Amino acid sequence: MPYPASARFDVGSLSIPGGVSVVWEGTRTPMLERAVGRFRARLAALGGIPAPAADAPGAATTPLHIHVGADPAYLSVTAREGYRLTVDAHGIDLAADGPAGVLHGLATLLQLAQAGPQSPAIAYVRIDDAPRFAWRGVMIDVARHFMTIETLKRQIDAMEMVKLDVLHLHLSDGQGFRVESRVFPRLATVASHGQFYTQGQIRDLVAYAADRGIRIVPEFDTPGHAFALLLAYPDLASQTPVPGDRHQINVAAINPTLEDSYRFLRRLYGEMGHLFPDRYFHAGGDEVSPTQWTKNAEIAAFMRQHGFATPQQLQAAFTARIQKILQDQGKIMMGWDEITEASIPDNVVIEAWRGSKFIASATRAGHPVVVSAGYYLDLLQPASEHYLVDPLDPHANGLTPDLAEKLRPKLGAMVDALKLDPSATMSPAQDRLVMGGEAPLWAEVVTDEMLDARLWPRSAAIAERFWSPASVRDVPDMYRRLAVVQDELCVTGLQAQANRYRMAARLSPGDAGPVLTLADATSPIRHYGHNHSAAHGQKGPIVQQMNTLGDIAAPDSAGAERFSDLARRYVAGDHSVRPVLEAMLTRWRDNDAAFQAVSAGRPILEDARPASQELKALAQAGLDALAGRKGKDWRAATGALLARQDQAVAASANMVVSHTVAQPPADLLQDITPGVRTLAGLD
Amino acid sequence: MPYPASARFDVGSLSIPGGVSVVWEGTRTPMLERAVGRFRARLAALGGIPAPAADAPGAATTPLHIHVGADPAYLSVTAREGYRLTVDAHGIDLAADGPAGVLHGLATLLQLAQAGPQSPAIAYVRIDDAPRFAWRGVMIDVARHFMTIETLKRQIDAMEMVKLDVLHLHLSDGQGFRVESRVFPRLATVASHGQFYTQGQIRDLVAYAADRGIRIVPEFDTPGHAFALLLAYPDLASQTPVPGDRHQINVAAINPTLEDSYRFLRRLYGEMGHLFPDRYFHAGGDEVSPTQWTKNAEIAAFMRQHGFATPQQLQAAFTARIQKILQDQGKIMMGWDEITEASIPDNVVIEAWRGSKFIASATRAGHPVVVSAGYYLDLLQPASEHYLVDPLDPHANGLTPDLAEKLRPKLGAMVDALKLDPSATMSPAQDRLVMGGEAPLWAEVVTDEMLDARLWPRSAAIAERFWSPASVRDVPDMYRRLAVVQDELCVTGLQAQANRYRMAARLSPGDAGPVLTLADATSPIRHYGHNHSAAHGQKGPIVQQMNTLGDIAAPDSAGAERFSDLARRYVAGDHSVRPVLEAMLTRWRDNDAAFQAVSAGRPILEDARPASQELKALAQAGLDALAGRKGKDWRAATGALLARQDQAVAASANMVVSHTVAQPPADLLQDITPGVRTLAGLD
């Protein structure tokens, strides 16, 4: 995962008792040697062999021939990423057009390796592979909750293993400005609460990512989402910033009528542009609140004086000047799709987050586009929903017509803009402008310890969407492979499983099992419903540790997916799976007794007791179905039970617009519902 | 844990919504401020609150008054370790005689903190505490399997949290010499396989430990256990070392008749003594193989010439010279109890590993003693067995008369030396010479990823033995607290749970659950039986990754202990626990179906299938007992089933002397056996 463009498996496998010894053909660089070092360590971790300290001549190593040419475009959007891989009885042969191809080939090899009794083995195979899209990214918001360098490095390691190649860092927002500026030191002392990256840390992180074929694209969001910056430099604000003001945190914007604002941003972007060497520089541009400007008398006067009829027009003028600043500094500007309102050069990259309309309009205007609509990981949708969104199929993107209708009463005209545009078909020329996609993870309710489990495994499924042929879209098959990949990521260093255990153990030290069993069978409510709970419960500090079942439960339940899979096999006639089905259901049912016991006197867990009882009821219904206890009353009760779960999922879809929709207990959805429905014969 | 010398709990608890702000009274040092920083971070991790970046004036912090005096003896065996702690409605008051007491008081505070709905809370309490023994150590063998600095630092952090104060590092052995020497560079290039600590890493590690009140006592083992060193400097060998020779690895010894040997060790120990500033320096001295010397004609001639009748006498002469070398370098020599054969000054510290006889004889001769007999963690005994060994009660130590009798056929005269000496009673003066104890973890079958789970939680139980009053010895109560402490250690950074998951996921990627369920209900066979399996299966490299169920299963099963506890409550009449008992048993029984499925085609797991079936049978017997299905045939069958488990445990006791005793499938003991016996009414 991602599945290769072309793979042919042969019978047999190559045993690797003592690791590999590399035979280099072509360019051999320190960077490639470090890549082989990582490969060896990961192979050792996955295969259960000791990592050899170095090429040991005479040891029983397996030859790995690497043919690679130089690629001047390495670490750019035109890097040569293709590779060909052959594993047979003679050894391993990896041929790549450039260093990126070597990294990808090694990542594929790792996924082919399986632990054996004495040594790992790799199946015989011929693979010819290259990505569908050049831009395969994730975005991590380090402004809402700060993430440590160590945590970011773990994500970069995982990204390398699934061939993602862009890490977009959202480095400033209302809650904080996260990079040390030597030109504007108050950004660290006033705007960061002490949580920022030093310039040395940034250089180290950029080099770490570059070694793994990953470009870091920085984002410093303006003119909106600028509260923290404006606390440090209030003269640039449109409305005087007041520390701790909850509304301003989200809406405060830079004053675009002041020359000082442009002088400030020219110097700041110049400094940051040196620190982040990538050609692309993300300047934000999203969600500017019109009243920030219209309610400032001087700005309103400026607008009248210069003929700006709307705040949008004023923002367009701002955008054009920022683009010019970045262009002067040798950068290609990138921004959220709001910036398409401005008259900007073709090469500005538009990040389309509000649906297909903006993919179509931006490409029609000749802009390269990176698609993030449909991949918002903070919506807490399961992997399958993102997986089926294709960057080139606008009708699969973002808002559906149904959801757009629901949004209208709340958002009015904005929905009309968002609504699926029937004319949003794409010409082949427009398709070619879609550089790829990005999965954003906004961090309102994601702490450092939660990041691994919120970003993964879903990013691996999305990586497959961005890399593999569009025809690869079998969801059950994806889930089977996703569970394996997630474990491989954890074995090689990801802390997703480890940190979820820690969160559960914090709530129930000495007996975390019942908490984890409930969390493993459930998922948090979607579409920002869980954010609203956090916001309502929020007291004291702005940055809050997330500490509930809804924070521990993952958007996908690997166990529930496996259960659904087995349930489908069972009703299709494969009764061999029945003992495992019964064991799973019995465990979920019986967990309630243990959960009730450990939750006593612990308010966070007590809140989740009804969810535990609901899981028990669902599991009992599944057991009844397996045992053939399906009378008329049972059908009615089970139907009602299942309908209640469906309503909770459906209500999730409204949560983006309503804080008041009824939420299920402890913000948990019951993931075993589809499998129980299958067993009950009610689907 | 360790339980305080004196604790009085009051009704109520102190909520800590925003962390603590420290009011210093007395000495305030950077080292103490770092300790408070760690306390804050750990409180945040355990309590589910964000770690505040710094003392924020005006924030809702709780006052923590720290009164502390300077202690010139900090980081020595006479350090002032006592503290008094008061938690009441006014805040927290911690008074300590020196920095060590502050560290201990903060460790106690962390264990008192509990996660609350909005913030952690600490129960009102008055504690007056000080340790029973000054020397509370663990020994980690980094020679057999190399452990990274990061892994060692995790252990040091955990040690601080349970008030252990000595980390004895076994830095050289047949398999490797693990510290860079600038005087003897071949120790790194030839004797380490590339796996060694640089001098910079050692200095950093020593400082890291010192910050946490932990002394690092280095051991460089001579004259035996020196194969790696002798490969690098073969002129000093008693028998020419041959690379890869499996026998020599264990027995090769330095030639004690050469002046060059002493010149070499004087320079080496001088260099290492500077690197490790502790006053104590462990020179090994254990297990010298007599034939290494007697079969060397020149050594034999030397012995005749100088009147050494036995190799032991020759070793005594060697020991005396080494002691003199170390004394000249300002060090106090420490060694395994074999060195008591020599005429050495009173202040040499004897590490008594071969039982009570040597505690008695060494203290009779006036030596300070550190007791390791009874605390060998690599014997894979459960925590309870070590917990009940008291350093001052020789009859509880090491070999029982029974085991000594069993050993006699194999070890002959050595057993007579080991046998419990009826005269081994201790006078009060002798008792005072027992400085404390150490739990050694030899690493023949412990890899870096296994270290956390092999050292913990058992070291926490042993820490209580070394710290708390001798009267604290309620085993079920210890196990209840141990499970909580282990989770607290994992929440604050220990990788025990995380790495066990990784090991299970490696064997069954994508569905590790059935492997973990089996591992969680079992433990590896004891007394080196599992080492023998590893040795027999060993092929290729000397250093081998451990990769079986026996490596994943822990010596203690927290789940099985909880089950035993509930079973006792149930038969005592508390039927409220029945649903949880049924759920546990059902899960263990049903796990077999899933385990059989995931093990197919995976030889390591296939080996464990009979163990899974045995667990199923035991669980079924427990369920039958609960349901009252206890007919005559059932009694007979269940009796036989339980007896089989007892035999496996009993056989373990012979494994130290026999490689051929029948071992249970996959080296696994069934830990739910006692609980099932209780339910079955057969105990």
Side-chain angles (χ1 to χ4, degrees):
Chain A
M1 185 174 247
Y3 202 84
S6 151
R8 213 191 70 204
F9 286 89
D10 293 324
V11 177
S13 67
L14 177 70
S15 177
I16 306 182
V20 297
S21 57
V22 173
V23 183
W24 292 97
E25 295 174 24
T27 315
R28 171 184 183 166
T29 66
M31 173 260 173
L32 286 172
E33 285 177 355
R34 289 192 295 272
V36 169
R38 287 195 301 283
F39 171 78
R40 282 206 177 95
R42 289 168 180 164
L43 182 67
L46 291 167
I49 52 169
D55 281 284
T61 54
T62 303
L64 164 58
H65 291 259
I66 300 183
H67 316 247
V68 56
D71 176 14
Y74 178 67
L75 277 188
S76 80
V77 292
T78 55
R80 296 176 197 149
E81 303 198 77
Y83 68 92
R84 287 156 304 289
L85 184 64
T86 308
V87 181
D88 60 25
H90 302 103
I92 305 165
D93 198 275
L94 169 60
D97 303 331
V102 175
L103 299 178
H104 298 326
L106 294 175
T108 299
L109 260 180
L110 281 175
Q111 291 201 12
L112 292 168
Q114 287 210 314
Q118 293 296 338
S119 61
I122 300 185
Y124 294 159
V125 73
R126 283 162 194 278
I127 285 175
D128 197 336
D129 199 11
R132 184 169 166 225
F133 294 106
W135 191 295
R136 304 179 304 279
V138 296
M139 188 213 82
I140 301 176
D141 169 10
V142 298
R144 266 56 172 260
H145 277 96
F146 185 66
M147 311 292 172
T148 64
I149 291 286
E150 187 187 6
T151 293
L152 292 180
K153 285 183 173 176
R154 283 200 307 275
Q155 316 314 313
I156 289 171
D157 277 316
M159 289 174 69
E160 181 187 19
M161 291 183 69
V162 297
K163 306 184 177 72
L164 289 166
D165 67 351
V166 177
L167 174 59
H168 166 182
L169 289 178
H170 182 74
L171 290 159
S172 72
D173 211 302
Q175 288 78 356
F177 189 97
R178 303 300 184 198
V179 181
E180 173 195 16
S181 166
R182 294 182 183 165
V183 181
F184 299 107
R186 285 174 59 84
L187 291 174
T189 54
V190 176
S192 78
H193 306 88
Q195 295 186 310
F196 63 90
Y197 308 115
T198 65
Q199 297 206 351
Q201 287 178 313
I202 292 291
R203 279 191 207 95
D204 171 55
L205 190 73
V206 167
Y208 191 90
D211 241 16
R212 287 149 182 84
I214 292 163
R215 301 160 39 218
I216 296 189
V217 174
E219 177 188 355
F220 297 95
D221 204 349
T222 59
H225 291 285
F227 180 70
L229 182 157
L230 294 171
L231 271 185
Y233 295 93
D235 290 351
L236 309 181
S238 303
Q239 307 283 336
T240 308
V242 179
D245 183 315
R246 288 289 161 81
H247 178 66
Q248 281 196 337
I249 281 178
N250 295 317
V251 300
I254 287 175
N255 186 336
T257 70
L258 302 176
E259 279 308 306
D260 273 354
S261 293
Y262 299 102
R263 274 190 288 270
F264 177 89
L265 289 174
R266 179 183 297 277
R267 293 180 68 195
L268 178 65
Y269 282 1
E271 184 186 18
M272 295 298 131
H274 271 101
L275 206 48
F276 293 93
D278 200 78
R279 192 78 199 284
Y280 293 84
F281 191 101
H282 202 304
D286 56 323
E287 298 187 316
V288 176
S289 168
T291 55
Q292 281 287 304
W293 292 341
T294 55
K295 289 192 174 172
N296 174 318
E298 288 172 23
I299 297 176
F302 180 96
M303 286 175 66
R304 283 190 302 274
Q305 197 178 340
H306 292 82
F308 293 114
T310 64
Q312 286 73 23
Q313 289 178 13
L314 182 58
Q315 188 185 347
F318 174 88
T319 302
R321 289 196 63 176
I322 296 297
Q323 188 281 323
K324 186 67 176 45
I325 286 170
L326 288 169
Q327 183 177 297
D328 290 349
Q329 294 173 350
K331 296 291 184 182
I332 299 174
M333 182 184 184
M334 181 167 182
W336 301 102
D337 56 36
E338 283 94 332
I339 68 167
T340 52
E341 301 281 341
S343 169
I344 42 176
D346 279 2
N347 74 343
V348 171
V349 176
I350 305 303
E351 178 149 17
W353 70 283
R354 291 179 299 169
S356 58
K357 179 183 165 76
F358 292 93
I359 305 171
S361 61
T363 51
R364 205 178 303 124
H367 291 294
V369 162
V370 170
V371 179
S372 57
Y375 307 113
Y376 268 49
L377 295 171
D378 54 312
L379 286 168
L380 300 183
Q381 293 168 268
S384 55
E385 297 189 4
H386 301 302
Y387 185 66
L388 292 175
V389 174
D390 193 295
L392 291 190
D393 178 4
H395 296 291
N397 275 331
L399 296 178
T400 61
D402 264 9
L403 184 52
E405 273 319 300
K406 285 182 192 150
L407 289 171
R408 188 188 306 276
K410 178 86 179 175
L411 298 181
M414 197 169 165
V415 170
D416 290 322
L418 289 172
K419 197 174 58 175
L420 279 175
D421 182 351
S423 70
T425 52
M426 303 267 289
S427 70
Q430 283 175 277
D431 278 357
R432 281 192 295 276
L433 283 168
V434 176
M435 300 168 79
E438 258 184 29
L441 181 60
W442 301 99
E444 283 88 347
V445 290
V446 184
T447 61
D448 184 87
E449 75 178 351
M450 292 168 66
L451 183 62
D452 300 48
R454 284 295 188 243
L455 202 55
W456 309 96
R458 292 181 299 160
S459 290
I462 294 172
E464 177 157 289
R465 176 57 46 239
F466 295 160
W467 176 285
S468 303
S471 58
V472 177
R473 48 191 291 125
D474 177 336
V475 168
D477 182 62
M478 178 276 286
Y479 270 120
R480 276 189 290 271
R481 293 181 291 121
L482 192 66
V484 175
V485 166
Q486 174 73 351
D487 269 349
E488 289 174 348
L489 294 178
C490 285
V491 168
T492 51
L494 202 68
Q495 291 281 23
Q497 189 278 341
N499 282 349
R500 291 185 72 212
Y501 181 86
R502 291 192 171 106
M503 294 172 75
R506 171 188 299 144
L507 296 179
S508 180
D511 192 6
V515 177
L516 280 170
T517 299
L518 176 59
D520 284 347
T522 54
S523 57
I525 52 171
R526 303 166 190 169
H527 300 284
Y528 303 138
H530 186 57
N531 303 36
H532 300 156
S533 304
H536 288 305
Q538 198 167 313
K539 287 190 183 122
I542 296 168
V543 178
Q544 186 195 21
Q545 190 136 347
M546 303 297 146
N547 218 9
T548 70
L549 265 287
D551 303 302
I552 302 173
D556 289 288
S557 162
E561 288 300 331
R562 196 160 47 242
F563 170 66
S564 290
D565 207 28
L566 294 174
R568 282 190 296 268
R569 281 165 60 184
Y570 180 77
V571 298
D574 177 2
H575 285 205
S576 73
V577 301
R578 182 169 167 162
V580 176
L581 280 173
E582 281 179 345
M584 295 177 102
L585 288 163
T586 304
R587 184 172 165 208
W588 287 322
R589 180 193 64 190
D590 291 356
N591 188 62
D592 186 53
F595 187 84
Q596 299 295 325
V598 299
S599 58
R602 294 172 164 147
I604 292 172
L605 296 181
E606 282 174 348
D607 279 354
R609 283 176 162 184
S612 174
Q613 286 160 343
E614 204 78 341
L615 177 61
K616 177 183 181 179
L618 282 163
Q620 184 61 56
L623 287 166
D624 290 342
L626 274 177
R629 294 187 292 265
K630 304 201 280 189
K632 191 177 153 204
D633 290 352
W634 180 89
R635 276 174 199 280
T638 302
L641 175 66
L642 293 169
R644 201 155 63 231
Q645 313 315 320
D646 294 344
Q647 283 154 15
V649 174
S652 262
N654 282 321
M655 286 171 184
V656 72
V657 285
S658 167
H659 297 196
T660 55
V661 69
Q663 295 188 190
D667 287 357
L668 295 176
L669 301 173
Q670 301 285 342
D671 289 346
I672 75 168
T673 303
V676 171
R677 176 173 283 115
T678 300
L679 290 180
L682 294 172
D683 53 357
Chain B
M1 183 174 251
Y3 202 85
S6 151
R8 211 191 72 204
F9 286 89
D10 293 325
V11 177
S13 66
L14 178 69
S15 177
I16 307 182
V20 296
S21 58
V22 174
V23 182
W24 292 98
E25 295 172 24
T27 314
R28 172 184 183 167
T29 65
M31 172 262 172
L32 286 171
E33 285 177 356
R34 290 192 294 273
V36 169
R38 287 195 301 283
F39 171 77
R40 282 206 178 94
R42 289 169 181 164
L43 182 67
L46 290 167
I49 53 168
D55 282 284
T61 53
T62 303
L64 164 57
H65 291 261
I66 300 182
H67 316 247
V68 57
D71 176 13
Y74 179 66
L75 277 188
S76 80
V77 292
T78 55
R80 297 177 196 147
E81 303 198 78
Y83 68 94
R84 288 157 302 288
L85 184 64
T86 308
V87 181
D88 60 26
H90 301 103
I92 306 164
D93 198 273
L94 170 59
D97 304 330
V102 175
L103 299 178
H104 298 325
L106 294 174
T108 300
L109 261 179
L110 282 175
Q111 292 200 12
L112 292 168
Q114 287 211 312
Q118 292 295 335
S119 61
I122 300 187
Y124 294 158
V125 75
R126 281 162 196 275
I127 285 175
D128 196 338
D129 199 10
R132 186 171 164 224
F133 294 106
W135 192 295
R136 305 178 304 278
V138 297
M139 187 215 80
I140 301 177
D141 168 11
V142 298
R144 266 57 174 259
H145 278 96
F146 185 67
M147 310 294 172
T148 65
I149 290 287
E150 188 186 4
T151 293
L152 292 180
K153 285 183 174 177
R154 283 199 307 275
Q155 316 314 313
I156 289 171
D157 277 316
M159 288 172 70
E160 181 187 20
M161 292 182 68
V162 297
K163 306 184 177 72
L164 289 167
D165 66 351
V166 177
L167 174 58
H168 165 183
L169 289 177
H170 182 74
L171 291 159
S172 72
D173 211 301
Q175 288 79 356
F177 189 98
R178 302 302 183 197
V179 180
E180 174 195 15
S181 165
R182 294 183 182 164
V183 181
F184 300 108
R186 285 173 59 85
L187 292 174
T189 54
V190 177
S192 78
H193 307 90
Q195 295 185 311
F196 64 90
Y197 308 114
T198 65
Q199 298 207 349
Q201 287 178 313
I202 292 291
R203 277 189 209 96
D204 171 55
L205 190 73
V206 167
Y208 191 90
D211 242 17
R212 287 151 182 81
I214 292 163
R215 301 159 42 218
I216 296 189
V217 173
E219 177 188 354
F220 297 95
D221 204 349
T222 58
H225 291 285
F227 179 70
L229 182 157
L230 295 173
L231 271 184
Y233 295 94
D235 290 350
L236 309 181
S238 303
Q239 307 284 335
T240 307
V242 179
D245 183 315
R246 288 290 163 81
H247 178 67
Q248 280 195 338
I249 282 179
N250 294 318
V251 300
I254 287 174
N255 185 334
T257 69
L258 302 176
E259 280 308 307
D260 273 355
S261 293
Y262 299 102
R263 274 191 285 272
F264 177 90
L265 289 173
R266 180 183 294 277
R267 294 180 68 195
L268 179 65
Y269 282 1
E271 184 185 19
M272 295 300 131
H274 270 102
L275 205 48
F276 293 93
D278 200 78
R279 192 76 200 285
Y280 293 83
F281 192 101
H282 201 306
D286 56 323
E287 298 188 316
V288 177
S289 168
T291 54
Q292 282 287 305
W293 291 341
T294 53
K295 289 193 175 171
N296 175 318
E298 289 172 23
I299 297 177
F302 179 94
M303 286 174 67
R304 280 190 303 275
Q305 197 178 337
H306 292 79
F308 293 115
T310 64
Q312 285 75 21
Q313 288 178 12
L314 181 59
Q315 187 184 347
F318 175 87
T319 301
R321 290 197 62 176
I322 296 298
Q323 190 279 327
K324 186 68 175 48
I325 286 171
L326 288 169
Q327 182 177 296
D328 290 349
Q329 294 172 351
K331 297 289 182 181
I332 300 174
M333 183 185 185
M334 181 167 182
W336 302 103
D337 55 38
E338 283 93 333
I339 66 168
T340 51
E341 303 280 341
S343 168
I344 43 177
D346 279 2
N347 75 342
V348 170
V349 177
I350 305 304
E351 179 151 15
W353 71 283
R354 291 179 300 171
S356 57
K357 178 183 165 77
F358 293 93
I359 305 171
S361 61
T363 51
R364 206 178 304 124
H367 291 294
V369 163
V370 170
V371 179
S372 58
Y375 307 113
Y376 267 50
L377 295 170
D378 54 313
L379 286 169
L380 301 182
Q381 293 168 270
S384 55
E385 298 189 2
H386 301 302
Y387 185 66
L388 293 177
V389 174
D390 194 296
L392 291 191
D393 179 3
H395 296 289
N397 274 331
L399 297 179
T400 61
D402 264 11
L403 184 53
E405 273 320 299
K406 284 184 191 150
L407 288 172
R408 187 189 304 278
K410 178 85 179 175
L411 299 181
M414 196 169 167
V415 170
D416 288 323
L418 289 172
K419 198 173 58 173
L420 280 176
D421 182 351
S423 69
T425 52
M426 304 268 288
S427 71
Q430 282 175 277
D431 278 357
R432 281 194 295 276
L433 282 169
V434 176
M435 301 168 79
E438 260 187 25
L441 181 60
W442 301 99
E444 283 89 347
V445 289
V446 183
T447 62
D448 184 88
E449 75 177 351
M450 293 167 66
L451 183 63
D452 300 49
R454 285 295 188 242
L455 202 54
W456 308 96
R458 292 182 297 160
S459 290
I462 294 172
E464 178 157 289
R465 176 57 45 236
F466 294 160
W467 176 284
S468 303
S471 58
V472 177
R473 47 192 292 127
D474 176 335
V475 169
D477 182 62
M478 179 276 286
Y479 271 121
R480 277 189 289 271
R481 293 180 292 123
L482 191 66
V484 175
V485 166
Q486 173 73 347
D487 269 349
E488 289 174 349
L489 294 178
C490 285
V491 168
T492 50
L494 203 69
Q495 291 281 21
Q497 189 278 340
N499 283 349
R500 291 184 73 209
Y501 182 86
R502 292 192 171 105
M503 293 173 74
R506 172 189 298 143
L507 296 180
S508 180
D511 193 5
V515 177
L516 280 169
T517 299
L518 177 59
D520 284 346
T522 54
S523 56
I525 51 172
R526 303 166 191 170
H527 299 284
Y528 302 138
H530 187 57
N531 303 36
H532 300 156
S533 303
H536 288 305
Q538 196 168 313
K539 286 187 183 126
I542 295 170
V543 178
Q544 186 194 22
Q545 191 134 346
M546 303 297 143
N547 218 9
T548 70
L549 265 288
D551 302 303
I552 302 173
D556 289 289
S557 162
E561 286 300 330
R562 197 159 47 243
F563 170 67
S564 290
D565 207 27
L566 294 173
R568 281 190 296 266
R569 282 167 59 184
Y570 180 78
V571 299
D574 177 1
H575 285 205
S576 74
V577 301
R578 181 169 168 161
V580 176
L581 280 173
E582 281 179 346
M584 295 177 102
L585 288 163
T586 304
R587 185 174 165 206
W588 287 322
R589 180 193 66 190
D590 291 356
N591 188 62
D592 186 54
F595 188 84
Q596 301 294 326
V598 301
S599 57
R602 294 172 165 147
I604 291 173
L605 296 181
E606 282 173 348
D607 279 353
R609 283 176 163 183
S612 175
Q613 286 160 343
E614 203 78 340
L615 177 62
K616 178 182 180 179
L618 281 163
Q620 185 59 56
L623 287 166
D624 290 341
L626 274 177
R629 292 188 293 265
K630 304 202 279 189
K632 191 177 152 205
D633 290 354
W634 179 88
R635 274 172 200 280
T638 301
L641 175 65
L642 293 169
R644 201 153 64 230
Q645 313 314 321
D646 294 343
Q647 282 153 17
V649 174
S652 264
N654 282 321
M655 286 171 184
V656 71
V657 284
S658 167
H659 297 195
T660 54
V661 69
Q663 296 189 187
D667 285 358
L668 294 176
L669 301 173
Q670 301 286 342
D671 288 348
I672 74 168
T673 303
V676 171
R677 175 173 286 116
T678 300
L679 290 180
L682 295 171
D683 53 359

